[in-house]
Amino acid sequence: MSSDSKIILKAEALDGYLTESDQTYLREMDSLYEKAVASFKILDGGGFSTTLAAEEKKIISVYNEMGHLMQSICEAVPSLKVYSFETEEESHAEASRVIAKLRDMRTDHHEFVYYTQRAYEMLFKMAYTGNHSDHKNYLIVKTPVTDPVQNYSVHKIPDVDHKIENTVMCVMLRGALLPSMIMSKEIQAYSSHGYITPFALFKIKRDESKKEHNMEYILDLKNSFFNLESLDGKDLIFADPMNATGGSLVTVVKYLLEQGIKPRSISFFNVIAALKGALRIVRALENCSVYTLWMDPVLNTSAYILPGLGDAGDRLNGKDTDESPRNIIQLIADYGSNINNLYRAQLRKIEQTVLGL
């Protein structure tokens, strides 16, 4: 690939995939969120407790209305899978609590990593182990107890080998790195063979000088690390904590398809997805499912999710300076020994991909 090899996707191409009904839903959601914004302004300004209590009730009502609307939209689009729409009701409070902690501006880095791990464990369970008709595998584990003899325990787990042992983790760099490692670790834990996913790493960014309506997504092939042949016929998994516009995923997958790669399936796992970004993806890409712990209603003009949780990449990894951004190996080193030891097998695979070992 040439040193200036870049692939660019423009926002208008993404919007071209949306149907008329999608556009109608999105306009309705924008209108509802404007009502919430009006109440946000009153709450932020302070005032009498009775006034603030009334605005809080309005916000709750609007959010309930938006939630019902998003649920009806997702019911009509089977490839959009939202945790609270897909799982039993007793699980919903856990998801809500995890999302609340991730959103909270007081949640520090270590807590943010912890709750991100929780989120991806829940997403993995929803996608791969929720079918009670799955056969079972047995794990026999040697325990530390040796009196009166060496002890072993037997544990039954779902047999999901056929679902997970053809997978490749496709990392859209930076914010997606740790979530991808978490998903790969879950696959390893549920595989009866200890399957460790291969990794493909894509360097992609959006042009932050532009607005949502004219955004550009730039795939930098020179600084990406992947083998095309190893992706053909595979189940490609992308795990990015935030799906705002869908542009990065669509750019990467469309590039792969243009190179003749034919994935067996594509799955995109998000902690939070914006409705518009999720709809763009499933309209633009065949055989692609979006799994999200939480669906947010709208984007602002700068293409940030509302209400969102800020920059998930910075909150997971710390913020780079414009003068000296870290490469993938430096980023891994900065995770520290706790993360590196927990995901040792995944880091070895990533090093092999980046360094060509």
Side-chain angles (χ1 to χ4, degrees):
M1 300 172 183
S2 66
S3 60
D4 59 349
S5 186
K6 288 185 170 63
I7 307 297
I8 299 175
L9 178 72
K10 296 179 182 292
E12 54 262 34
L14 280 172
D15 282 337
Y17 294 110
L18 295 172
T19 66
E20 288 186 14
S21 62
D22 292 339
Q23 299 281 17
T24 299
Y25 282 135
L26 292 169
R27 285 192 294 270
E28 186 174 353
M29 199 66 72
D30 285 340
S31 177
L32 286 170
Y33 201 76
E34 285 175 7
K35 294 180 182 178
V37 168
S39 293
F40 296 164
K41 291 177 180 177
I42 295 173
L43 284 183
D44 196 47
F48 295 111
S49 59
T50 53
T51 301
L52 300 181
E55 294 306 319
E56 288 177 351
K57 287 183 179 179
K58 289 180 183 178
I59 291 171
I60 291 170
S61 176
V62 170
Y63 267 84
N64 283 334
E65 191 172 352
M66 290 189 295
H68 292 315
L69 178 57
M70 283 188 281
Q71 186 166 6
S72 66
I73 294 168
C74 291
E75 285 175 353
V77 187
S79 50
L80 284 183
K81 302 179 187 299
V82 180
Y83 189 88
S84 57
F85 303 160
E86 298 281 331
T87 59
E88 63 281 359
E89 189 171 351
E90 53 266 30
S91 299
H92 300 173
E94 182 184 8
S96 188
R97 183 61 180 157
V98 167
I99 292 295
K101 291 295 291 185
L102 288 168
R103 289 196 201 274
D104 195 329
M105 60 190 300
R106 297 169 297 180
T107 299
D108 67 16
H109 166 70
H110 296 291
E111 265 198 308
F112 196 87
V113 170
Y114 167 75
Y115 283 106
T116 299
Q117 290 171 317
R118 287 269 303 277
Y120 275 98
E121 289 166 1
M122 295 164 69
L123 285 168
F124 179 89
K125 181 180 178 181
M126 177 177 70
Y128 294 111
T129 69
N131 186 350
H132 296 292
S133 66
D134 284 332
H135 297 294
K136 304 300 180 184
N137 271 336
Y138 291 89
L139 296 180
I140 299 178
V141 179
K142 187 176 182 178
T143 81
V145 179
T146 58
D147 185 12
V149 296
Q150 174 63 60
N151 277 249
Y152 295 82
S153 64
V154 176
H155 299 274
K156 190 185 297 185
I157 62 171
D159 180 4
V160 293
D161 289 350
H162 62 290
K163 298 179 182 179
I164 61 178
E165 292 189 354
N166 187 55
T167 54
V168 177
M169 290 305 307
C170 298
V171 184
M172 294 184 292
L173 290 183
R174 191 172 170 72
L177 180 60
L178 185 55
S180 299
M181 290 159 55
I182 297 167
M183 283 295 293
S184 178
K185 182 76 172 184
E186 288 296 294
I187 289 170
Q188 181 186 3
Y190 275 90
S191 165
S192 64
H193 308 104
Y195 176 74
I196 303 168
T197 62
F199 281 79
L201 300 106
F202 301 93
K203 179 71 171 179
I204 186 163
K205 65 178 182 179
R206 64 188 200 183
D207 185 346
E208 297 292 353
S209 69
K210 296 183 178 294
K211 297 297 183 181
E212 196 273 329
H213 71 278
N214 65 351
M215 186 65 69
E216 293 183 350
Y217 305 86
I218 305 160
L219 173 58
D220 180 356
L221 296 175
K222 176 187 173 185
N223 291 301
S224 297
F225 305 92
F226 59 91
N227 180 283
L228 282 173
E229 290 74 21
S230 69
L231 301 175
D232 198 31
K234 298 296 184 179
D235 297 308
L236 305 185
I237 298 178
F238 295 79
D240 198 328
M242 307 290 283
N243 171 24
T245 65
S248 295
L249 180 72
V250 173
T251 303
V252 170
V253 174
K254 288 293 187 183
Y255 165 75
L256 295 176
L257 296 175
E258 289 168 2
Q259 303 311 302
I261 301 305
K262 297 178 180 178
R264 190 170 77 171
S265 69
I266 303 165
S267 298
F268 194 26
F269 291 86
N270 316 117
V271 177
I272 293 177
L275 176 62
K276 185 175 187 179
L279 284 171
R280 279 169 158 177
I281 285 171
V282 297
R283 299 307 188 199
L285 304 176
E286 295 181 5
N287 200 23
C288 179
S289 296
V290 174
Y291 298 89
T292 185
L293 199 62
W294 205 267
M295 185 79 79
D296 268 6
V298 299
L299 299 170
N300 66 14
T301 57
S302 296
Y304 294 125
I305 300 174
L306 299 178
L309 54 72
D311 190 315
D314 286 350
R315 296 184 75 180
L316 280 171
N317 304 322
K319 190 170 183 178
D320 279 336
T321 63
D322 293 335
E323 297 77 22
S324 56
R326 291 164 292 177
N327 63 32
I328 190 74
I329 300 300
Q330 292 169 324
L331 189 57
I332 287 172
D334 282 352
Y335 282 153
S337 59
N338 288 340
I339 294 294
N340 289 340
N341 288 333
L342 182 60
Y343 300 106
R344 185 182 294 110
Q346 284 67 39
L347 292 174
R348 177 61 177 159
K349 286 282 189 180
I350 292 169
E351 287 174 350
Q352 290 172 345
T353 301
V354 173
L355 302 177
L357 300 176

